Amino acid sequence: MSEPTGRETLGFQTEVRQLMQLMIHSLYSNKEIFLRELISNASDAADKLRFEAIGAPDLLKDDPELRIHLSFDSEAGTLSVTDNGIGMSRDEIIDNLGTIARSGTSEFLQQMTGDDKKDAKLIGQFGVGFYSAFIVADRVEVVTRKAGLAADATVRWESDGQGEFTIEQLQEGSRGTTVTLHLKPEEKEFLDGFRLETLIRKYSDHIAFPVLLEKDADEGKEETAVNSATALWTRPRSEITEEEYQEFYKYLSHDFTDPLIWSHNRVEGKREYTSLLFIPSAAPFDLWNRDAPKGLKLYVQRVFIMDEAEQFLPLYLRFVKGVVDSADLPLNVSRELLQQNPELDAMRAALTRRVLDMLAKLAKNDAEKYAKFWQEFGATIKEGLVEDKQNADKLMSLLRFATSQSESAKQDQSLADYLERMIDGQDKVYYLVGDSFETAKSSPHLEQLREKGLEVLLLHDKIDPWVVEHLTEFEGKQFQDVGRGQLSLPESDDKLTQDAINDEHKPLLKKIRKTLKERVETVNVSQRLVDSPACVVTSEQDLGPQLRRMLEASGQALPEAKPVLEINVDHPLVMRLSAETDDSRFGDLSRIVLDHALLAEGGQLDNPADYVRRINQYLLDVETSA
Ligand code: ADP
Ligand code: MG
């Protein structure tokens, strides 16, 4: 038998197939979110049509009242969500409901563990959208007609969620979209007017369009308006409950978890706008992906204008979700116009401050929640230090660190905490960059500082080598890298130049310099060490070793820079070196001392085999001479 004319069977994109399978299992305990997703799509569709109609009012003419309508049929076992919004053309529906365009999707799907709980959380960070219908339905039908197209451009889409969908053209249909779910036999609980009304209210109370539910009544069908149809952010703060804010956030972000905090404000005067900004409780999977969605939802006088308006917040605050509704911007504002609009700089500065103040308040009032924030988004705040000079002070107070006094890599100490613990005579904030907390914590560079009771911030995030370039001063205190240049510690004689410190050991230094001249800039007597024989330090003007390694790994050619070797003249190994009369053994031991110093700060040896040979030889020599 041949298929009806124009009917075509197409396959879902592989990622869609994988997502659907995973979702059906891992989201089962959250299954009713499918309603939120369908209502949110219907509301988006109405928003989009209202926007299009600004320039083309005819689009709305035959059916001007935008609304969302839900109905169910207990006998047929179906539940439908209908909107009279923008609708979809044939090509659009194939794209929109058959593929996922978001970049990084397949990498994301590979992170799935098979553990439902963990996967549910991950999928929550991804957002499931339309496909969530297949959690409760074994067949989904979509009938849609794009606004502005003729009735015979109506399209019917259908799928059982198993990998394929069919599509065919209908001769008739009204503007907008109806999604009909054929519920699985075990999901008939959704065919209950009361249950539906409660759920729909939860998911639609903040939506600006009327949501109507058609229920069975004694005399046939009856329509009830379920929501108040006022956009949440336009209502006074005092009248909005916590739960409503949380639901609105989930609607906006497709996140499953409640937001960490939010801030809702109306600005009046010269510039008028309302903003509602949320901080999520977990980072999205693609926080570090350049193409990931970011930005606020922009409305002008309550008319939806665009998603992902990136111009209202700096890039480092890309994790903020929310809405900005302006009274002044023109309705026909486009991304290009936004970029040129001088009003925008002021709004962006104000919104940025709003976010930073909200975080500062959280840090002050709820350390535990703030710790959670820092764990998820701390690295983006650090990005801010590089990007946003204007708010350097606010950003610095938001930073959290692990220090030489921390038990674990957990970053929970603020600069204010550090300042409070500074010892008498200390006038600097000391820090050290390492590849990991452990390397940094056991670095020889800390030995003197530890002995003197001086705390050191240990920086080990990927971004830290860049960040430290921007750490200059906090509350009048300078920062000092303890792995760089001459270290001046309180009570040590500052006026003593390196030359003076070296003075007593000139012959030894000279001899080591000569031996290692290919590999080190110079050799000095150290003021950093207690237990270790030597360490390497970066000279004042050079790139730190971590930054250098990173840039080299990314293929950049850098001018060669040699480290400075510092030796601990009180260490037995250095004393032995000093007493060594055999030139060849002196050479070997000097090289071993340097190699160990490099290894201790996470570096790699240019010639490990050479090192191994040397140390084996040395061990044998010790053995025989003993
Ligand atoms: P999202 O809403 O995050 O884009 P969804 O999976 O929910 O993802 O929907 C995918 C796309 O399908 C939407 O972006 C939209 O283009 C289209 N779509 C879904 N539902 C509707 C609808 N009711 N009316 C018009 N377009 C829709
Ligand atoms: Mg959606």
Side-chain angles (χ1 to χ4, degrees):
M1 208 179 77
S2 71
E3 304 233 283
T5 343
R7 180 152 171 197
E8 226 183 303
T9 301
L10 296 167
F12 286 112
Q13 181 197 22
T14 318
E15 284 86 348
V16 175
R17 248 178 261 192
Q18 289 172 330
L19 180 69
M20 282 200 280
Q21 283 212 334
L22 283 162
M23 194 180 55
I24 292 167
H25 292 288
S26 58
L27 294 189
Y28 192 73
S29 51
N30 284 312
K31 60 185 174 181
E32 73 275 353
I33 56 119
F34 79 89
L35 257 181
R36 180 184 81 203
E37 295 300 324
L38 296 182
I39 293 174
S40 111
N41 283 349
S43 160
D44 289 349
D47 265 340
K48 284 180 198 158
L49 178 57
R50 194 162 58 178
F51 175 68
E52 294 284 321
I54 298 169
D58 277 0
L59 290 177
L60 272 173
K61 209 169 59 187
D62 49 340
D63 183 8
E65 300 299 324
L66 292 167
R67 44 134 197 87
I68 299 162
H69 181 265
L70 284 97
S71 64
F72 61 96
D73 180 333
S74 316
E75 265 163 47
T78 57
L79 172 62
S80 298
V81 181
T82 301
D83 65 73
N84 55 354
I86 188 84
M88 286 174 274
S89 69
R90 187 173 187 283
D91 288 348
E92 283 169 343
I93 200 170
I94 293 175
D95 264 4
N96 294 343
L97 305 188
T99 59
I100 303 173
R102 193 162 167 190
S103 69
T105 300
S106 53
E107 290 84 348
F108 163 78
L109 288 167
Q110 274 156 22
Q111 291 176 29
M112 294 293 152
T113 57
D115 173 341
D116 284 356
K117 258 218 175 110
K118 279 191 202 144
D119 289 354
K121 224 184 131 198
L122 278 171
I123 292 187
Q125 284 163 261
F126 182 79
V128 290
F130 169 80
Y131 304 110
S132 59
F134 290 100
I135 306 174
V136 295
D138 47 25
R139 193 152 61 87
V140 178
E141 256 181 280
V142 182
V143 174
T144 183
R145 189 183 122 203
K146 172 126 181 162
L149 297 187
D152 64 1
T154 304
V155 184
R156 185 171 166 285
W157 178 104
E158 183 179 340
S159 175
D160 60 4
Q162 298 296 315
E164 290 180 333
F165 59 89
T166 63
I167 189 144
E168 67 189 301
Q169 199 132 336
L170 303 183
Q171 294 309 307
E172 256 173 281
S174 37
R175 184 192 76 212
T177 304
T178 295
V179 179
T180 301
L181 311 188
H182 295 261
L183 294 170
K184 295 176 182 172
E186 65 276 19
E187 306 301 343
K188 299 281 156 73
E189 62 183 84
F190 291 107
L191 302 173
D192 166 352
F194 184 71
R195 169 98 203 270
L196 278 175
E197 194 175 330
T198 319
L199 277 178
I200 298 168
R201 171 154 304 120
K202 177 169 160 194
Y203 294 137
S204 70
D205 235 7
H206 45 74
I207 286 178
F209 305 99
V211 176
L212 309 163
L213 174 63
E214 188 179 301
K215 285 195 288 197
D216 296 318
D218 294 340
E219 317 78 45
K221 297 282 184 186
E222 183 189 277
E223 247 186 15
T224 2
V226 183
N227 67 349
S228 53
T230 29
L232 181 100
W233 65 90
T234 62
R235 292 163 45 196
R237 265 198 311 222
S238 57
E239 286 172 20
I240 307 175
T241 65
E242 230 172 71
E243 209 201 340
E244 283 177 306
Y245 277 120
Q246 287 168 348
E247 275 312 320
F248 182 71
Y249 163 77
K250 291 179 188 168
Y251 155 81
L252 199 73
S253 64
H254 306 277
D255 196 346
F256 288 34
T257 30
D258 289 333
L260 209 55
I261 35 163
W262 55 87
S263 164
H264 182 188
N265 293 91
R266 190 189 309 272
V267 175
E268 270 158 13
K270 188 163 154 269
R271 215 170 277 117
E272 272 182 41
Y273 62 92
T274 301
S275 64
L276 172 51
L277 307 173
F278 292 94
I279 310 290
S281 48
F285 77 98
D286 49 6
L287 183 64
W288 298 99
N289 185 332
R290 285 179 159 276
D291 310 318
K294 51 186 160 288
L296 303 176
K297 216 171 160 122
L298 172 64
Y299 289 77
V300 171
Q301 295 164 39
R302 290 166 209 196
V303 176
F304 166 78
I305 305 294
M306 68 179 84
D307 277 312
E308 297 171 30
E310 296 168 19
Q311 296 79 356
F312 291 91
L313 285 172
L315 183 64
Y316 73 94
L317 296 180
R318 60 188 170 277
F319 56 85
V320 175
K321 302 276 180 207
V323 168
V324 54
D325 188 346
S326 156
D328 319 312
L329 289 169
L331 275 167
N332 65 354
V333 71
S334 62
R335 280 181 207 276
E336 293 67 43
L337 285 173
L338 274 181
Q339 252 146 20
Q340 297 153 12
N341 193 311
E343 287 291 287
L344 219 74
D345 291 339
M347 274 178 87
R348 178 182 161 111
L351 291 168
T352 303
R353 255 179 281 126
R354 190 76 70 213
V355 173
L356 298 181
D357 290 345
M358 154 163 70
L359 291 171
K361 202 166 133 200
L362 180 71
K364 189 159 162 255
N365 298 337
D366 193 336
E368 203 177 309
K369 262 195 181 172
Y370 187 75
K372 211 172 153 194
F373 165 78
W374 185 259
Q375 190 190 339
E376 294 292 320
F377 300 109
T380 54
I381 294 298
K382 289 182 175 176
E383 241 179 74
L385 272 186
V386 182
E387 199 184 322
D388 185 0
K389 294 274 166 293
Q390 242 147 38
N391 288 303
D393 287 344
K394 282 186 202 284
L395 287 162
M396 288 246 198
S397 342
L398 292 175
L399 297 176
R400 293 294 179 273
F401 300 92
T403 80
S404 51
Q405 296 178 8
S406 305
E407 294 296 323
S408 74
K410 192 157 177 226
Q411 300 171 7
D412 57 3
Q413 299 300 309
S414 69
L415 288 172
D417 297 334
Y418 181 96
L419 257 48
E420 218 161 86
R421 288 194 292 263
M422 282 183 30
I423 61 167
D424 282 349
Q426 181 180 357
D427 62 350
K428 291 206 169 74
V429 177
Y430 296 103
Y431 70 86
L432 178 68
V433 185
D435 290 334
S436 70
F437 172 72
E438 284 72 23
T439 358
K441 191 165 179 183
S442 48
S443 165
H445 293 125
L446 300 183
E447 290 172 1
Q448 271 293 342
L449 290 125
R450 192 173 282 134
E451 190 147 288
K452 296 203 144 96
L454 293 163
E455 189 172 11
V456 181
L457 305 174
L458 302 180
L459 294 151
H460 56 272
D461 276 347
K462 250 200 180 138
I463 188 178
D464 286 338
W466 275 279
V467 174
V468 297
E469 305 290 320
H470 301 267
L471 289 179
T472 47
E473 200 187 290
F474 180 73
E475 297 193 352
K477 301 280 184 289
Q478 304 282 319
F479 284 81
Q480 182 169 7
D481 182 346
V482 304
R484 185 185 281 273
Q486 190 184 355
L487 187 61
S488 77
L489 301 180
E491 286 163 45
S492 71
D493 195 346
D494 267 14
K495 295 178 194 69
L496 228 48
T497 60
Q498 187 67 52
D499 270 350
I501 299 163
N502 287 348
D503 198 44
E504 259 182 71
H505 303 275
K506 269 189 178 147
L508 173 63
L509 294 172
K510 207 170 152 195
K511 206 168 158 196
I512 307 176
R513 275 182 208 138
K514 201 171 151 215
T515 316
L516 300 175
K517 66 173 184 297
E518 306 289 314
R519 297 176 61 199
V520 302
E521 187 61 44
T522 187
V523 183
N524 288 329
V525 171
S526 183
Q527 289 191 295
R528 290 176 165 84
L529 301 170
V530 178
D531 303 317
S532 301
C535 67
V536 284
V537 301
T538 313
S539 50
E540 236 25 288
Q541 327 70 19
D542 279 338
L543 294 174
Q546 292 79 14
L547 192 53
R548 169 169 286 272
R549 280 198 289 273
M550 250 189 273
L551 293 173
E552 277 169 354
S554 75
Q556 287 208 43
L558 299 169
E560 200 199 358
K562 296 180 215 159
V564 174
L565 177 69
E566 290 193 352
I567 55 168
N568 175 0
V569 285
D570 298 324
H571 194 280
L573 209 56
V574 175
M575 291 184 185
R576 183 184 297 173
L577 192 62
S578 178
E580 182 61 69
T581 47
D582 180 299
D583 278 353
S584 142
R585 280 234 290 262
F586 182 90
D588 277 349
L589 189 52
S590 312
R591 287 184 191 98
I592 289 169
V593 165
L594 171 61
D595 286 343
H596 283 178
L598 287 167
L599 286 173
E601 54 95 28
Q604 278 184 353
L605 302 180
D606 291 338
N607 193 340
D610 207 29
Y611 161 77
V612 171
R613 184 196 53 72
R614 207 176 290 128
I615 199 132
N616 285 343
Q617 188 54 50
Y618 194 78
L619 290 171
L620 283 172
D621 284 357
V622 173
E623 187 92 328
T624 40
S625 63

